Amino acid sequence: MAKKLWDKNSTVNPEIERFTVGKDRELDLQLARYDILGSIAHSAMLHSIGMLDSNETQQLHNELRNIYAIVENNEFVIEEGVEDVHSQVELMLTRKLGDTGKKIHCGRSRNDQVLVDLKLFTRHRLSMVCEAVKTLFDTLLEQSNRHKDVLMPGYTHLQVAMPSSFGLWFGAYAESLTDDMLFLQAAYRMCNRNPLGSAAGYGSSFPLNRTMTTELLGFDSMNYNVVYAQMGRGKCERNVAYALAGVAGTLAKMAFDACLFNSQNFGFVKLPAECTTGSSIMPHKKNPDVFELLRARCNRLQALPTDITLIMNNLPCGYFRDLQIIKEVFLPAFDELLECLRMATYIIERIEVNKNILDDKRYDAMFSVEEVNRLAAAGMPFRDAYKKVGLQIEEGTFVAQKDISHTHEGSIGNLCNDRIAALMESIYGSMDFASATTAENKLLGRE
Ligand code: ARG
């Protein structure tokens, strides 16, 4: 049996076949459930415009739900000689239902099928990323509150600068995640628009009801213009990639801090032995490999928007096979980031902080500004106070007074963690993941 959807009784050179199919047979497995959901919605819509009768529609829905169950049992395969997930599902429908299966492709193209698959896949994975970001955020904020009174040196140029605290350090990364969440929210909203019905990129002469598939699939709205819907391929992935890269950037920076602070020469934080790795030659080593791997993996994730940009750079509008390659870098990025987020949360929960860092005299000079400010508050012009303390330090007569008082918003003594939490809540709490899940369950008959 000819297994190409586009078979016209000529055979394709096996080398050409291998090259053009590429990694689709493996990668498309991740899109299978979404392809089926798209087909359930599409066939319901075809029924509504009289292209399928009730019996055909019911048969298609039953069979599509059976195939969905096969996917859930990890038993779905894209067979040898079948190009992609779209072809495999249609083949399975046709084998079971004959002509009814052959009718489902009315008014659509694999171009809008893969678009809708990617949107549904991405929407789901983004919701998982948002949840994992929120969990890490909560962990960081808890650590910030727990250690709010533990001081540590702050650095500029990696030179001891001014007093900082673990409250500030943990809280800074929590607040950084609020900005990252804002990007994730924007990415989710951009992604949550229906491209189905754009067909090959120019619509269809069938009176498709795109509002209906938009509602059935739980999208916020649609990509109205069919040419733009197709242009969204690659653009959507790149925008999402920027959001993922934002989170990765926060994690990579935090990981580098932790590596540095964990070094014996700093000794600010320590990992429990079970969270470290050893050396094959140096018996004393307890290495922070977790943070190093987080750093490298998150640095690599930050290349994703560029990877995608370079794949689709300068393509004019309309579908091109180039777009297929984006899946190779885009699909695995979610699991990669999710694993990093889970590990970051695990390790931040367990990191131990040194409460006596400031007992070491080498950090005394960081209290110089405190002294200058005390003199200035007592009436001495700032520049004179600066000079006086500077000379004391040069002469070795400066005595650090460590009972500091920082009270303004966002400072050591007033972290505003409650406001940072409220900011995160205003973003994360306003994101609606439930309507997507509800719509999908409804399509599967699982209300
Ligand atoms: N595997 C293809 C992709 O990911 C599916 C769309 C095929 N469309 C086509 N016109 N060849 O882009």
Side-chain angles (χ1 to χ4, degrees):
M1 186 204 285
K3 288 181 176 175
K4 299 281 176 305
L5 296 175
W6 40 270
D7 182 74
K8 291 176 287 284
N9 301 332
S10 60
T11 49
V12 176
N13 175 315
E15 278 305 302
I16 301 294
E17 151 110 12
R18 200 181 53 78
F19 190 76
T20 52
V21 169
K23 297 199 167 67
D24 262 15
R25 240 176 244 142
E26 178 200 330
L27 285 174
D28 274 12
L29 293 178
Q30 296 188 61
L31 301 179
R33 351 178 137 225
Y34 307 106
D35 200 70
I36 295 162
L37 289 166
S39 284
I40 298 177
H42 181 69
S43 49
M45 187 279 292
L46 287 181
H47 172 50
S48 80
I49 61 167
M51 293 301 301
L52 291 169
D53 67 28
S54 301
N55 189 33
E56 289 168 330
T57 311
Q58 200 50 57
Q59 283 186 324
L60 282 168
H61 285 187
N62 290 343
E63 196 44 37
L64 284 164
R65 286 168 188 165
N66 288 341
I67 303 172
Y68 195 94
I70 294 173
V71 175
E72 282 182 316
N73 288 332
N74 288 323
E75 283 161 7
F76 181 87
V77 283
I78 299 174
E79 297 163 30
E80 198 61 35
V82 176
E83 279 191 305
D84 51 30
V85 64
H86 326 295
S87 312
Q88 180 66 37
V89 173
E90 187 175 321
L91 178 68
M92 289 166 86
L93 290 173
T94 305
R95 271 189 195 143
K96 260 286 187 3
L97 308 175
D99 283 353
T100 302
K102 291 189 199 163
K103 289 186 178 181
I104 197 171
H105 209 57
C106 276
R108 76 176 183 190
S109 153
R110 282 183 295 167
N111 295 355
D112 66 337
Q113 263 190 286
V114 65
L115 275 169
V116 80
D117 293 5
L118 283 167
K119 295 261 204 166
L120 296 174
F121 166 88
T122 303
R123 180 173 86 171
H124 180 247
R125 294 301 192 279
L126 275 178
S127 73
M128 292 170 76
V129 169
C130 289
E131 196 190 325
V133 167
K134 176 62 165 58
T135 307
L136 175 60
F137 171 87
D138 290 341
T139 306
L140 284 163
L141 220 51
E142 265 170 43
Q143 290 286 48
S144 170
N145 289 332
R146 184 173 302 133
H147 301 299
K148 68 178 173 11
D149 297 323
V150 182
L151 295 183
M152 69 192 286
Y155 293 80
T156 68
H157 312 266
L158 264 189
Q159 305 285 305
V160 171
M162 284 185 63
S164 182
S165 71
F166 281 103
L168 277 178
W169 185 67
F170 286 115
Y173 286 101
E175 188 171 348
S176 180
L177 291 177
T178 67
D179 278 338
D180 300 335
M181 190 65 96
L182 209 50
F183 260 62
L184 287 167
Q185 182 186 41
Y188 188 89
R189 291 178 62 188
M190 257 181 271
C191 169
N192 202 16
R193 297 194 186 129
N194 185 17
L196 192 63
S198 58
Y202 301 95
S204 165
S205 56
F206 292 115
L208 305 177
N209 185 346
R210 297 190 62 207
T211 299
M212 181 177 174
T213 55
T214 298
E215 281 166 13
L216 286 175
L217 290 165
F219 283 114
D220 266 352
S221 63
M222 67 181 87
N223 293 129
Y224 295 98
N225 181 309
V226 290
V227 173
Y228 179 61
Q230 178 56 55
M231 275 202 275
R233 181 92 187 267
K235 179 177 175 178
C236 175
E237 292 97 308
R238 192 190 57 211
N239 285 334
V240 170
Y242 276 120
L244 302 183
V247 177
T250 298
L251 293 191
K253 199 178 191 74
M254 182 179 77
F256 199 166
D257 277 359
C259 288
L260 198 64
F261 295 166
N262 181 68
S263 153
Q264 290 85 351
N265 298 82
F266 285 77
F268 297 169
V269 299
K270 217 176 123 196
L271 292 174
E274 49 133 2
C275 294
T276 60
T277 57
S279 154
S280 61
I281 177 172
M282 298 167 281
H284 64 286
K285 292 301 284 292
K286 286 187 181 134
N287 296 325
D289 291 19
V290 167
F291 283 121
E292 293 164 16
L293 292 166
L294 272 176
R295 179 172 58 197
R297 290 170 68 165
C298 287
N299 279 337
R300 184 175 56 185
L301 272 168
Q302 289 172 83
L304 187 63
T306 311
D307 276 347
I308 295 173
T309 301
L310 293 184
I311 293 168
M312 60 178 210
N313 217 10
N314 301 329
L315 289 182
C317 67
Y319 176 85
F320 293 94
R321 199 68 180 263
D322 306 50
L323 300 167
Q324 174 171 298
I325 299 297
I326 295 175
K327 291 190 289 194
E328 293 182 14
V329 291
F330 184 66
L331 300 192
F334 290 93
D335 282 344
E336 181 71 5
L337 183 59
L338 282 166
E339 202 183 347
C340 289
L341 279 163
R342 288 185 194 120
M343 184 46 72
T345 304
Y346 183 88
I347 203 96
I348 288 295
E349 268 167 5
R350 283 161 183 78
I351 200 167
E352 295 157 14
V353 314
N354 177 354
K355 298 197 165 67
N356 307 307
I357 301 170
L358 301 193
D359 293 351
D360 189 326
K361 284 199 122 5
R362 82 174 83 194
Y363 302 121
D364 280 5
M366 75 182 187
F367 292 96
S368 67
V369 182
E370 310 300 313
E371 186 55 27
V372 172
N373 289 357
R374 245 188 298 271
L375 295 170
M380 187 183 288
F382 176 84
R383 193 50 62 209
D384 294 343
Y386 173 96
K387 181 118 196 213
K388 181 174 167 159
V389 174
L391 290 173
Q392 285 174 355
I393 291 169
E394 289 299 311
E395 291 158 2
T397 54
F398 173 71
V399 183
Q401 289 202 39
K402 301 184 182 177
D403 53 332
I404 60 167
S405 159
H406 291 203
T407 57
H408 67 75
E409 299 94 329
S411 65
I412 295 173
N414 183 8
L415 294 173
C416 295
N417 281 348
D418 53 341
R419 283 193 248 170
I420 293 171
L423 183 59
M424 178 56 106
E425 188 49 35
S426 74
I427 306 162
Y428 181 70
S430 73
M431 292 177 76
D432 170 22
F433 304 119
S435 33
T437 317
T438 308
E440 290 175 15
N441 283 334
K442 223 165 155 181
L443 286 172
L444 295 168
R446 298 176 179 173
E447 290 155 88

